[in-house]
Amino acid sequence: MGHRIPCEGPDRPTAGAERPTAPPGRGARAAPTGHGRPAADRPAAPARDEAAYGAGAHTERLRYLDEATRRIARGMDPDETLWELCRAAAPAFADAAFIHLCDQPLPSGDAIPTAPVVLRPHTTGARPRAPAGTGTRGDPPGAPPAPRSPDGPRDPGPNAAPEAAPGAGPDLAPVTVTGRFVELLLAGRPVFGDTQGIAPSARRLLHGGAKGDGPVPPARRLIVAPLHGRHHVIGTLLLLREPDRPAFTPDDLLVASQLATHTALGIDKAVRYGREASVADVLQRAMLPSSLPEATGVRLASHYLPASETARVGGDWYDAIPLPGNRVALVIGDVMGHSMTSAAVMGQLRTTVQTLAGLDLPPEDVLHHLDDQAQRLGSQHIATCLYAIYDPIAHRLQLANAGHPPPLLLHPDGRGEALLIPPGAPIGVGGVPLDPRQRGDDVALLAARFDGIPWYHVAYWFLDPQPRTAGGARRLARRTLHRWKLDSLCESTELMVGEVVTNAVRYATRPLSLRLVRTDVLRCEVGDDSPQLPRMRHAQLSDEGGRGLFLVNQFAERWGATRLSTGKVVWFEHRIPEDATGSHAAGEDATDETRKGVVL
């Protein structure tokens, strides 16, 4: 640890005796004097020397505890916390440390549990030991055999870390404790190993067997300290000193109590953190899309990378939302902070964006309404957002930015350039600019490759809202399908086009639009200026109308209606037979040369 822990009591060197320099974290031992006698056998020193040395020992203990508790607090999970406890305890304070954990944590209090208390060995830490026959210190009583290197003995050095082996070995079986030992666990105070009534349990804990055949170290060379958390007893810590080291003193019980308490509280913290991190990670993943839609004319990919393993939850999100007319909205945003609150606010903003996208608003209007919603959630919630709409037929990309880093445009030759659009104010700031480059945060990546739809796979007309318009629309559809070599779809497509156009003529006051798009499916879109969405009805035998959408529902693969700011669009899709031909290879090769991608 970097400090010695002076030991008081009958084994401590007296004033005037030679004090050899101990290894870091090791207690001073009685050294031979010029008279050939151990310092412990010489007459007592004057009282002022005793007081001065006692004050120094107290200072050293405080320094040791400060460093030890800092080391224990570094653990971010229970195993790491216990490992740091072993490193802090051995060899600086004890020669070996044994940690056992309860199968079921004991509730703190005075009530003695009725069921047996089972303690399982978890971690064993001991200072490095030399091989037998070298004339140096051997294994401490009750310590597991030191692991041997296949290449022979190795000099551990004075600052070597304790040997530790997480988990129970083959000779370390669970130990059932009862009676006085359980009472001491619940009391929460460390005791010496020679305390009345605990020797049988201490023997089994030290030697890892059900019977505990080995001895219990005498003369206060063993401390048993409960790992007492906020509400439960988690386990026990056994600290052991070898015969050639001074025995523990009552002051050492206070040190052991501090080590055990900080460890137990650290384990409580680690368990709570692990539980919260697990819930937060599930929440974060649940609020992100499990998969991106297969949009026509664009290929999408995404990835989310937390800033660190200790801060997995954040406010980053991304989305791809299909829009009418084969368009797709690309969204990426970030709520500032790494907390459950950030993730919850992110979920609310993502839902708001999806709702606004359904209204088919321009990107700048979507961000304006999103800012209003964020301010209603509270002024402390700040977010950035980039919203883009891609039209694969017009080959056009519209973007609006609210404080987010600019998107990166990748050209077919590999070149990349940042699209320097005006960033605008972040969401929830209310007009105050923010430089997004000065943020260290998570990474949410949304990449889109824009393939587009070739012009020769799109047919578009404007039609007057007149009674004969439906017949003209059927003829236009027939000629287009014949050119695309989709004659097998002519009959059903003509029928559905006629029904949808007839319904549009009934409500439209301005010219309506008819568009046919061939991709992996045949899509037909009919738009008019009426905001009233049609609904399918079940006509009676005597009714003259009401069967149009019923027929569309029967013949189409999919169909639907979308309200726009200028009216509505009714669309349906038809599956294209696998044997259908008509693609223009030369044109498709030409579009390959103009494909671009955007990284948000």
Side-chain angles (χ1 to χ4, degrees), residues 54-141:
H58 180 70
T59 301
E60 289 298 317
R61 281 193 174 90
L62 292 179
R63 290 178 181 174
Y64 164 74
L65 278 177
D66 179 66
E67 292 188 13
T69 53
R70 288 175 184 270
R71 168 172 282 177
I72 293 171
R74 289 202 298 259
M76 294 304 298
D77 59 69
D79 290 337
E80 186 180 356
T81 302
L82 294 173
W83 167 244
E84 293 293 349
L85 169 62
C86 280
R87 294 187 62 190
F93 181 66
D95 292 313
F98 302 85
I99 298 175
H100 295 71
L101 299 183
C102 299
D103 268 3
Q104 296 291 334
L106 301 177
S108 57
D110 298 331
I112 304 299
T114 56
V117 178
V118 179
L119 297 173
R120 294 186 179 273
H122 184 276
T123 307
T124 299
R127 65 172 178 186
R129 298 177 289 271
T134 60
T136 58
R137 182 187 305 272
D139 292 345

Side-chain angles (χ1 to χ4, degrees), residues 177-361:
V177 296
T178 57
R180 177 63 176 160
F181 197 93
V182 176
E183 294 178 4
L184 293 175
L185 289 181
L186 295 175
R189 293 185 297 272
V191 296
F192 291 116
D194 58 0
T195 301
Q196 183 178 3
I198 70 168
S201 296
R203 183 181 300 111
R204 293 196 299 272
L205 292 173
L206 279 175
H207 299 284
K211 297 181 179 179
D213 297 330
V216 175
R220 294 189 173 182
R221 297 189 176 276
L222 176 67
I223 289 180
V224 179
L227 298 177
H228 203 292
R230 288 180 174 82
H231 306 291
H232 294 83
V233 178
I234 301 173
T236 61
L237 166 66
L238 274 67
L239 299 169
L240 184 69
R241 279 186 181 173
E242 300 179 21
D244 59 346
R245 188 171 184 174
F248 290 114
T249 67
D251 286 341
D252 292 326
L253 290 179
L254 300 178
V255 175
S257 176
Q258 290 294 315
L259 293 177
T261 299
H262 278 81
T263 300
L265 295 178
I267 292 176
D268 278 350
K269 176 195 70 176
V271 170
R272 288 199 312 273
Y273 170 80
R275 186 182 300 113
E276 292 178 1
S278 176
V279 172
D281 187 59
V282 171
L283 177 63
Q284 176 84 24
R285 301 295 175 182
M287 289 187 174
L288 293 176
S290 57
S291 61
L292 297 176
E294 296 183 1
T296 303
V298 58
R299 305 182 192 181
L300 301 172
S302 63
H303 184 66
Y304 174 73
L305 181 65
S308 65
E309 288 296 324
T310 58
R312 296 190 60 88
V313 64
D316 295 72
W317 89 93
Y318 54 85
D319 235 331
I321 308 169
L323 299 178
N326 294 285
R327 296 171 302 155
V328 60
L330 306 176
V331 190
I332 190 165
D334 178 20
V335 178
M336 301 301 180
H338 294 86
S339 64
M340 299 284 286
T341 302
S342 299
V345 173
M346 176 267 286
Q348 292 176 297
L349 295 183
R350 180 180 175 226
T351 302
T352 302
V353 171
Q354 291 176 332
T355 303
L356 295 172
L359 301 178
D360 198 31
L361 300 174

Side-chain angles (χ1 to χ4, degrees), residues 1 227 434 534:
M1 291 297 297
L227 298 177
L434 177 68

